[in-house]
């Protein structure tokens, strides 16, 4: 009997060496420990033994059983670990691998690109954002900006009136009034937004367009600060080779006022046969000036103590210049064939 046990043991250990899968292992385990397995058959013969022999035999059988169980258990662990590793390897995913059918990549609207370039340049110079409503008091849009009801310059801007006191803002300048009334100087502000004018939609006009107001209030400001600020973001938009000049102009809310020209980016400033600058070599890009003392006084600031400068940029106009867009309507219609070019 003991010899049979040794045979069962060595056979099982030999078979174990050939087992490659958990299924094979289970078959082997059944053939030893199962109901009609080899050990079971052996145990059935125990009845014929004397009590002493049975005790001795029982001890060896238990030892062998434990040994085989341990060997099978160890092999099961190894097989399971290997199987898990194989599965992990098969399921591994390289998330950095480029997609097989990459989705077409979107881009920012050209006007947004222009706006962000100006915005980020000014933020780098210590400006912060300031916002206000599109429906505005006539007072903020005109009167407090030094444009009283009978002022002839009101005609410069064809206004959508909601009633006698309320308008769709015709420019972002009323944000200057809101800033002066709500903030404590000194401050440097960027104030972008939609503005509205009674205009037929055509290649160069739109009843709604986008402006961006710059407004700086501090002590001892001069035209030099204004020009330096303008030059910095004009260079950020059009490159450092572009020349910037200030030309005397008139706005009720600035004194002195200037229109800002940059050297034509199409002909390089020579003007020779250039349709974009009409032969002048210069392109007008924005209006600006030193804030009129009346405006400061209207908002309770002493113009002898405080100075300010401001500028208003047409974001769509600058975008047209930057990208050579000849029809402003493209920027508002969002035709994908147009937008895809940016
Ligand atoms: N608000 C003016 C307009 O829409 C633009 C402008 C000119 C704004 C001069 C300013 C400025 O702040 O100083 O026509």
């Amino acid at each position: 009997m003991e010899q049979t046990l040794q045979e069962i043991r060595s056979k099982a250990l030999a078979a174990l060496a050939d087992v490659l899968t958990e299924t094979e292992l289970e078959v082997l385990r059944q053939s030893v420990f199962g109901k009609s397995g080899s050990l079971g058959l052996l145990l059935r013969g125990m009845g014929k033994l004397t009590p002493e022999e049975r005790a001795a035999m029982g001890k060896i059988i238990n030892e062998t059983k434990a040994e085989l169980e341990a060997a099978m258990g160890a092999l099961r662990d190894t097989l399971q670990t290997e199987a898990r590793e194989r599965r992990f390897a098969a399921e591994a995913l390289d998330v950095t691998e480029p997609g097989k059918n990459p989705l077409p990549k979107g881009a920012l609207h050209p006007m947004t690109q222009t706006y962000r370039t100006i915005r980020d340049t000014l933020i780098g110079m210590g400006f912060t954002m300031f916002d206000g409503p599109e429906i505005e008091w006539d007072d903020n849009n005109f009167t407090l900006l030094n444009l009283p009801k009978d002022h002839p310059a009101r005609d410069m801007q064809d206004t959508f009136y909601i009633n006698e006191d309320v308008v769709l803002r015709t420019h972002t300048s009323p944000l200057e009034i809101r800033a002066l009334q709500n903030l404590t100087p000194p401050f440097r502000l960027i104030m972008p937004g939609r503005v509205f004018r009674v205009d037929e939609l055509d290649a160069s006009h739109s009843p709604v367009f986008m402006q961006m107001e710059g407004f700086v209030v501090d002590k001892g400001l001069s035209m030099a600060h204004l020009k330096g600020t303008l030059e910095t973001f004009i260079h950020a938009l059009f490159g450092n080779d572009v020349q910037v000049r200030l030309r005397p102009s008139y706005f009720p809310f600035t004194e002195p006022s200037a229109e800002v020209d940059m050297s034509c980016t199409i002909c390089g400033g020579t003007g020779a046969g250039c349709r974009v600058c009409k032969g002048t070599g210069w392109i007008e890009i924005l209006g600006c000036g030193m804030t009129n003392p009346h405006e400061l006084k209207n908002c309770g600031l002493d113009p002898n103590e405080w100075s300010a400068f401001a500028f208003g940029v047409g974001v769509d106009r600058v975008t047209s210049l930057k990208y050579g867009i000849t029809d402003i309507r493209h920027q508002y219609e969002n035709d994908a064939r147009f937008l895809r070019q940016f």
Side-chain angles (χ1 to χ4, degrees):
M1 201 169 182
E2 204 180 325
Q3 197 189 334
T4 318
L5 180 64
Q6 284 314 321
E7 273 167 27
I8 292 172
R9 179 183 171 275
S10 47
K11 247 169 128 181
L13 289 176
L16 213 49
D18 293 333
V19 163
L20 292 174
T21 66
E22 278 190 84
T23 322
E24 286 172 25
L25 180 62
E26 184 55 21
V27 170
L28 176 62
R29 205 182 63 81
Q30 289 293 338
S31 75
V32 179
F33 296 109
K35 261 196 203 133
S36 46
S38 45
L39 263 184
L41 290 173
L42 187 73
L43 287 169
R44 250 174 257 163
M46 295 272 276
K48 294 172 196 146
L49 303 177
T50 64
E52 295 78 41
E53 284 172 335
R54 201 178 305 147
M57 196 60 210
K59 192 170 170 263
I60 318 173
I61 291 179
N62 279 340
E63 281 166 11
T64 308
K65 216 170 136 182
E67 184 195 358
L68 290 178
E69 266 167 357
M72 288 183 188
L75 183 61
R76 177 174 302 111
D77 287 349
T78 311
L79 289 174
Q80 279 174 352
T81 307
E82 282 171 9
R84 206 176 326 118
E85 273 162 11
R86 270 198 304 279
R87 185 160 56 80
F88 286 167
E91 287 174 0
L93 187 67
D94 179 1
V95 292
T96 65
E97 197 174 302
K100 291 203 178 73
N101 295 304
L103 291 172
K105 209 160 141 204
L108 292 173
H109 191 285
M111 226 182 335
T112 309
Q113 294 184 29
T114 303
Y115 158 64
R116 289 197 183 179
T117 303
I118 303 176
R119 180 198 65 183
D120 294 349
T121 309
L122 292 175
I123 283 176
M125 298 169 77
F127 283 61
T128 50
M129 309 297 294
F130 189 76
D131 200 9
E134 292 172 357
I135 297 172
E136 184 56 281
W137 297 109
D138 177 278
D139 273 357
N140 288 351
N141 196 80
F142 293 121
T143 310
L144 294 169
L145 283 168
N146 199 31
L147 275 136
K149 289 262 187 222
D150 54 358
H151 197 290
R154 279 201 178 207
D155 294 345
M156 280 160 66
Q157 305 192 345
D158 301 299
T159 311
F160 285 109
Y161 278 92
I162 289 175
N163 61 41
E164 211 178 312
D165 299 319
V166 180
V167 301
L168 293 186
R169 66 180 176 199
T170 58
H171 50 179
T172 44
S173 301
L175 288 163
E176 296 183 12
I177 301 302
R178 288 179 176 269
L180 288 169
Q181 289 174 341
N182 290 290
L183 305 179
T184 310
F187 49 72
R188 304 169 194 180
L189 303 175
I190 315 166
M191 310 187 286
R194 271 195 200 95
V195 300
F196 307 85
R197 297 205 190 159
V198 182
D199 257 327
E200 288 296 327
L201 186 65
D202 66 24
S204 52
H205 297 87
S206 165
V208 46
F209 55 102
M210 193 182 167
Q211 275 194 350
M212 193 161 119
E213 195 87 1
F215 190 39
V216 177
V217 180
D218 208 331
K219 291 180 177 169
L221 293 173
S222 73
M223 292 291 274
H225 297 116
L226 170 58
K227 192 179 184 209
T229 306
L230 299 172
E231 247 168 15
T232 305
F233 78 75
I234 292 170
H235 285 167
L237 276 170
F238 294 99
N240 290 334
D241 294 338
V242 160
Q243 301 287 312
V244 176
R245 76 173 183 191
L246 269 61
R247 187 162 38 77
S249 181
Y250 172 74
F251 298 103
F253 28 90
T254 41
E255 183 58 39
S257 302
E259 238 135 356
V260 176
D261 296 338
M262 64 170 192
S263 54
C264 179
T265 48
I266 306 301
C267 63
T270 64
C274 183
R275 282 194 312 157
V276 173
C277 63
K278 301 191 181 75
T280 64
W282 295 95
I283 301 175
E284 178 192 322
I285 82 162
L286 59 89
C288 68
M290 301 306 292
T291 301
N292 193 308
H294 290 305
E295 178 185 329
L296 298 178
K297 230 182 292 173
N298 287 343
C299 300
L301 232 56
D302 179 359
N304 292 318
E305 189 185 353
W306 294 98
S307 54
F309 67 74
F311 50 91
V313 193
V315 179
D316 35 24
R317 177 167 166 74
V318 172
T319 306
S320 294
L321 290 174
K322 180 160 170 65
Y323 297 107
I325 301 165
T326 49
D327 190 327
I328 195 177
R329 286 170 290 196
H330 287 314
Q331 294 190 57
Y332 292 100
E333 283 168 358
N334 289 328
D335 185 325
R337 290 167 301 181
F338 170 76
L339 294 178
R340 237 177 254 132
Q341 300 172 52
F342 300 91

